[in-house]
């Protein structure tokens, strides 16, 4: 069914329903995305304050058959928040719905609205002596609604899981304007289909998340951070296995760092202090969160001693203070910014079974080399199998020089990930950028089920048209 564009008649319908101050023209931030790949079109932005107002807006859109593009913090990397083709949609911003509604420390639950910024949710949990462990480089601007809509991952998935694992209940507006009151604080609720898990990861294509009941955790009594130099990605995986044998589920972060990324940091962000004067080819950043009475430094020292004896670690630095640990994380967190400044030809967000990661890295290097000479920065959350695989021109070159190769290079990386039983979208979602990839690699039965669900819940196709599924 075809959609209509936002026009004066639709704007009049909205303003008959809600106060005029709930609407404004789009600002540049509503039309851009971090990688600069897509440019949105000037449209009307709705900025509701309550779930009832969201329901009224969605109801008007359904009546007029106008598409809706939900907008959270605008930090998505696959174009899910930016519409650049088709009938002009309404932009629905949740930024005014940003309240922390309630905190239940003894239940380890926090209820907040979808527009709440992730960093503010972390702070609210901290004020209750609890931890909300979702952690992203964009946490100062990313919103909880967007985190859930894309099932965000981040650096602590190894221990705490993705956003999906951190959500107990949702409040949402469905495509017909109905409000689903699903803000339950239950760990067990087997009453039929799980709408919560259906909406999480749907990127606004099945409804608008307006609030969430989030799962908190006790704060680790003691933490420790270290960077170990490893001889290879295979050794990094063996080191992870050793760390988990010694410390169980107390390993909360395990990040693989490539020497190319450290070189980029030195070139374009020299103010970021690095722990090694000579950049190691491979290293891992490890964080542990321990129980009361344990010693983080001692635990990491014991790990390093055994790793060194077995050849899994060649060198290492263990943080002697919270500040030094934060400095180690600063190295990891600035790698994406350095990549951006250098200028990537392609940036891939893939995953593979843990045991296949070394094969993926080696075969990826060989496959890319057959297409030309490139610098590769492969890094990421190797503890949960998620790699960011980025290709760059040789020194002195420009990414634009390889524009004609981008599609072939991206497909080469994605074909390899898929052949190893991996995913071409590990944590950033599908958005608009990977719709064709989902069609290419998606299981036929799954794709048929997804289309059936979309047709059943959103028969008019008004929810984030063009995102996730081909329209």
């Amino acid at each position: 069914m075809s959609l209509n564009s936002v026009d004066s008649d639709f704007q009049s319908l909205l303003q008959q329903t809600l106060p005029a101050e709930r609407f404004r023209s789009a600002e540049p931030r509503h039309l851009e995305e971090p990688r600069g790949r897509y440019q949105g079109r000037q449209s009307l932005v709705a900025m509701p304050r309550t779930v009832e107002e969201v329901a009224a807006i969605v109801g008007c859109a359904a009546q007029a058959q106008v598409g809706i593009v939900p907008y959270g913090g605008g930090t998505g990397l696959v174009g899910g928040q930016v519409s650049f083709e088709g009938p002009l949609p309404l932009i629905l911003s949740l930024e005014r719905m940003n309240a922390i509604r309630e905190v239940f420390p003894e239940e380890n639950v926090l209820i907040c609205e979808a527009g709440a910024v992730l960093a503010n949710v972390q702070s609210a949990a901290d004020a209750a002596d609890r931890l909300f462990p979702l952690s992203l480089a964009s946490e100062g601007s990313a919103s909880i609604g967007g985190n859930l809509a894309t099932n965000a991952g981040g650096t602590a998935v190894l221990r705490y899981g993705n956003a999906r694992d951190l959500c107990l209940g949702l409040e949402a507006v469905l495509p017909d304007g109905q409000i689903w009151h699903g803000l339950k604080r239950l760990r067990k609720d087997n009453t039929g289909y799980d709408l919560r898990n259906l909406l999480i990861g749907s990127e606004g294509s099945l409804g608008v998340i307006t609030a969430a009941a989030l799962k908190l955790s006790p704060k680790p009594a003691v933490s420790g951070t270290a960077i170990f130099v490893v001889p290879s990605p295979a050794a990094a995986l063996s080191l992870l296995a050793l760390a988990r044998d010694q410390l169980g589920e107390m390993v909360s972060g395990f990040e693989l760092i490539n020497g190319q990324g450290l070189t980029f940091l030195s070139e374009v962000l020299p103010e970021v202090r690095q722990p090694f004067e000579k950049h190691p080819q491979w290293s891992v950043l490890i964080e542990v969160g321990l129980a009361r009475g344990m010693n983080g430094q001692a635990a990491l020292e014991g790990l390093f001693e055994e790793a060194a004896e077995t050849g899994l670690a060649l060198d290492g630095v263990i943080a002697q203070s919270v500040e030094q640990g934060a400095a180690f994380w600063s190295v990891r967190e600035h790698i994406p910014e350095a990549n951006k400044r250098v200028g990537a030809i392609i940036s891939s967000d893939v995953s593979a079974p843990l045991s296949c990661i070394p094969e993926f890295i080696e075969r990826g290097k060989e496959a890319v080399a057959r297409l030309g000479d490139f610098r590769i920065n492969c890094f990421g959350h190797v503890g949960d199998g998620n790699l960011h695989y980025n290709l760059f021109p040789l020194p002195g070159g420009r990414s634009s020089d390889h524009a004609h190769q981008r599609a072939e290079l991206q497909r080469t990386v994605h074909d390899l990930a898929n052949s190893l039983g991996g995913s071409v979208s590990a944590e950033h979602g599908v958005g608009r950028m990977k719709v064709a990839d989902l069609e290419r690699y998606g299981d036929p039965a799954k794709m048929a089920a997804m289309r059936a669900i979309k047709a059943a819940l959103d028969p008019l196709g008004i929810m984030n048209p063009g995102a996730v599924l081909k329209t």
Side-chain angles (χ1 to χ4, degrees), residues 52-266:
E52 290 79 14
E53 290 185 353
V54 175
I57 291 165
V58 174
C60 288
Q63 178 182 334
Q65 293 182 209
V66 170
I68 294 174
V69 175
Y71 183 89
T75 61
L77 297 176
V78 289
Q81 75 277 39
V82 179
S83 174
F84 51 87
E85 60 185 5
L88 190 65
L90 174 71
I91 301 170
L92 177 58
S93 172
L94 280 297
E95 61 194 273
R96 287 179 173 173
M97 294 182 61
N98 57 17
I100 307 295
R101 291 185 183 174
E102 293 181 276
V103 182
F104 301 88
E106 292 186 354
E107 295 183 23
N108 284 313
V109 176
L110 179 149
I111 297 177
C112 69
E113 294 179 336
V117 172
L118 174 55
N120 294 340
V121 173
Q122 294 169 340
S123 296
D126 183 68
D129 197 31
R130 292 294 184 267
L131 172 71
F132 184 62
L134 184 63
S135 182
L136 313 168
S138 60
E139 60 195 30
S141 51
S143 71
I144 287 296
N147 295 152
L148 291 168
T150 58
N151 189 29
T155 59
V157 171
L158 177 63
R159 181 169 184 174
Y160 297 103
N162 293 294
R164 182 186 307 281
D165 303 298
L166 300 173
C167 181
L168 297 171
L170 291 177
E171 173 190 87
V173 175
L174 301 179
D176 61 358
Q178 287 191 84
I179 299 172
W180 173 45
H181 300 281
L183 275 182
K184 294 186 177 181
R185 312 193 306 269
L186 303 176
R187 264 69 174 182
K188 292 184 176 181
D189 180 14
N190 289 325
T191 51
Y193 303 143
D194 192 344
L195 296 185
R196 169 187 56 116
N197 270 327
L198 187 59
L199 288 175
I200 294 173
S202 67
E203 302 182 53
S205 66
L206 299 177
V208 181
I209 294 171
T210 56
L214 302 175
K215 187 187 303 182
L216 306 181
S217 294
K219 291 181 183 177
V222 178
S223 63
T225 310
I227 295 183
F228 291 175
V229 177
V230 294
S232 66
L237 288 177
S238 296
L239 177 60
L240 172 61
L242 177 62
R244 300 189 82 171
D245 283 345
Q246 288 192 6
L247 299 167
E249 297 305 314
M250 291 184 283
V251 181
S252 52
F254 198 90
E255 299 284 309
L256 183 68
I257 299 175
N258 190 306
Q260 185 64 71
L262 300 178
T263 298
F264 286 161
L265 275 177
S266 294

